[in-house]
Amino acid sequence: MAGSDGTFDFCDLVVPGVRELQPYQPGKPIGELAREYGLSESRIVKLASNENPLGPSPKAIEAVRQAVQDAHRYPDGNGHALRSALAERHGITPERILLGNGSNDLLDLVARTFLGSTRQAVYAQHAFAVYPIATRSAGAEGIVAPANGVEHRQPYGHDLAAMTACITPRTRVVFLANPNNPTGTWLAAEELEVFLETVPGDVIVVVDEAYVEYAQGLAGYREVSGWLDRFPNLLITRTFSKAHGLAGLRVGYALCRADIVEFLNRVRHPFNVNSLAQVGATAALADPMHVARTVELNHRERKRLTEDLRRLNLRVLPAAGNFLCVEIGSQAAAVNEALLRDGIIVRPLAGYALPRFLRVSLGTGEENDRFMASLQQIHARGLLEVTA
Ligand SMILES: *Cc1c(COP(=O)(O)O)cnc(C)c1O
């Protein structure tokens, strides 16, 4: 409706689901901190976006370098080479694989295909921020299931019984992350199996395995691609952004039934995964040693940093990813600010309803040392509470 001065209040024009959304808050880019605080970029340590501290595989870098010469050509809209390589890796046919411009693109495709007004998606409190964005921008209602309590062995993690209780006849999608970001917690294969057996068959269960490589070997954890035949409503998302070190290229994929792929393909933008991303991901897949080195570094640093933080009497949540979720206390925002002044970027979690926590991505040994040294100084100033 036009106001008295003849202009529109555009807020009234926006669809209701979008009106209530907050934009996704990414980790602060290095260049932005350098500009705002007058710091030199080379002194800045970014531990805010769960990126691979070792960078991309050298093989992926070389492949992208070669491929840029053909950048005047449109990409292969079907991603033949990458899908074939992934199919071989997973022992399934390429028809059961869909590529996305990052796995976030796939979450959005699922929402636009299966959600819409009158429908609902269920996700947990403290779950990945993209689930509500995908749900509400598709016009659907997001139902937030309460998370595990503080005393649970996976505090603040997904409570599958609570999620089951949120499912109604209008629910078409459940989003869950295993391991979850930003908590780092994980679900045991047995409980996930019971959940999948309980969920009605007309509800798509998205299991977001962005951190699968880092979680292997943890008590009870198992990746679930072997269950695709057993549970026709299961859709798994994976990404090259984390252990493969290609976050800037934007490429992820979904594993599910071929007929679901076919429906998702109807709403997919024709060239959603660019040619450099396709080539880089294919080369990264052929370099398992780089992933192995990445995971080894992560396991070592995850253990070391967890111990260092606990020595400061800080509570660290069980961590299955390449990051730690640390309870700092009531001064978490001030601690974040002090770290920024020191050139260290971590992730405040107030937007995830965890205002007492910071999320710290695991970097190289040297980067983690910089973070700990800064935190020690902050500790000396009395900004850290005893939370362990
Ligand atoms: C980082 C992350 C992703 C990956 O997103 P991309 O779009 O593939 O970069 C997906 N899910 C979760 C839970 C994540 O933390």
Side-chain angles (χ1 to χ4, degrees):
M1 213 195 298
S4 55
D5 60 352
T7 61
F8 285 96
D9 181 353
F10 286 98
C11 186
D12 292 338
L13 306 185
V14 173
V15 293
V18 173
R19 215 178 289 157
E20 298 144 18
L21 280 176
Q22 294 297 320
Y24 179 80
Q25 290 279 344
K28 196 185 243 326
I30 290 175
E32 189 178 303
L33 180 67
R35 283 195 303 279
E36 287 178 2
Y37 288 71
L39 298 168
S40 142
E41 288 198 12
S42 62
R43 287 278 301 149
I44 293 174
V45 173
K46 187 182 177 214
L47 302 173
S49 301
N50 302 344
E51 294 147 344
N52 186 333
L54 299 180
S57 150
K59 291 180 178 158
I61 295 173
E62 186 47 37
V64 169
R65 220 190 276 286
Q66 295 290 329
V68 77
Q69 306 190 46
D70 292 322
H72 60 299
R73 302 284 180 206
Y74 276 98
D76 175 350
N78 289 314
H80 176 76
L82 178 55
R83 282 171 68 229
S84 301
L86 287 167
E88 196 174 326
R89 165 65 54 93
H90 289 287
I92 60 176
T93 60
E95 289 71 38
R96 303 182 67 171
I97 298 173
L98 186 74
L99 304 181
N101 184 23
S103 52
N104 290 346
D105 185 28
L106 298 160
L107 301 173
D108 200 52
L109 288 176
V110 169
R112 285 195 287 134
T113 304
F114 293 104
L115 296 174
S117 62
T118 77
R119 298 185 176 198
Q120 297 170 336
V122 172
Y123 37 81
Q125 198 183 10
H126 320 302
F128 188 42
V130 172
Y131 308 151
I133 293 177
T135 300
R136 297 208 203 141
S137 58
E141 188 184 354
I143 307 294
V144 182
N148 288 335
V150 197
E151 302 305 329
H152 194 280
R153 83 197 120 74
Q154 297 284 338
Y156 306 103
H158 295 355
D159 177 344
L160 291 180
M163 293 182 78
T164 306
C166 287
I167 294 173
T168 76
R170 285 163 59 199
T171 306
R172 284 294 159 273
V173 179
V174 172
F175 290 106
L176 57 88
N178 195 31
N180 183 44
N181 168 25
T183 56
T185 51
W186 70 96
L187 298 162
E190 289 73 27
E191 39 178 348
L192 198 48
E193 193 172 21
V194 170
F195 178 73
L196 282 160
E197 281 165 352
T198 312
V199 169
D202 60 357
V203 175
I204 304 284
V205 178
V206 176
V207 177
D208 179 344
E209 294 187 335
Y211 300 96
V212 56
E213 294 88 351
Y214 301 108
Q216 302 289 3
L218 287 172
Y221 180 84
R222 223 172 337 131
E223 61 92 19
V224 296
S225 62
W227 292 352
L228 286 166
D229 285 332
R230 246 181 95 195
F231 301 109
N233 54 336
L234 173 62
L235 186 148
I236 299 165
T237 58
R238 298 276 186 100
T239 183
F240 284 90
S241 297
K242 304 287 155 59
H244 287 95
L246 297 177
L249 288 184
R250 313 301 305 128
V251 50
Y253 59 99
L255 303 169
C256 58
R257 282 167 64 104
D259 53 355
I260 295 182
V261 168
E262 215 255 298
F263 285 114
L264 297 172
N265 256 327
R266 298 183 190 189
V267 290
R268 181 174 66 84
H269 290 260
F271 303 105
N272 62 329
V273 181
N274 74 70
S275 51
L276 302 184
Q278 290 187 34
V279 164
T282 306
L285 203 60
D287 189 2
M289 281 312 293
H290 186 70
V291 176
R293 277 192 296 275
T294 300
V295 169
E296 194 196 342
L297 169 70
N298 184 70
H299 284 6
R300 195 164 63 234
E301 293 299 310
R302 191 163 71 191
K303 184 167 183 292
R304 189 174 75 96
L305 210 63
T306 299
E307 288 166 2
D308 287 354
L309 289 163
R310 288 188 177 148
R311 235 173 270 126
L312 287 180
N313 295 314
L314 296 174
R315 174 191 180 91
V316 182
L317 298 189
N322 61 346
F323 57 90
L324 299 179
C325 191
V326 191
E327 188 168 11
I328 298 291
S330 60
Q331 300 300 308
V335 170
N336 181 55
E337 184 61 30
L339 287 167
L340 286 174
R341 292 199 180 283
D342 237 0
I344 293 159
I345 314 174
V346 299
R347 193 68 149 266
L349 297 180
Y352 286 87
L354 292 168
R356 295 168 53 82
F357 286 77
L358 293 176
R359 192 194 69 192
V360 187
S361 306
L362 294 158
T364 61
E366 202 179 321
E367 288 171 330
N368 299 334
D369 286 346
R370 279 275 317 275
F371 163 73
M372 275 313 300
S374 182
L375 200 66
Q376 295 277 5
Q377 290 187 351
I378 291 166
H379 177 59
R381 288 165 48 200
L383 282 176
L384 306 183
E385 283 166 21
V386 174
T387 59

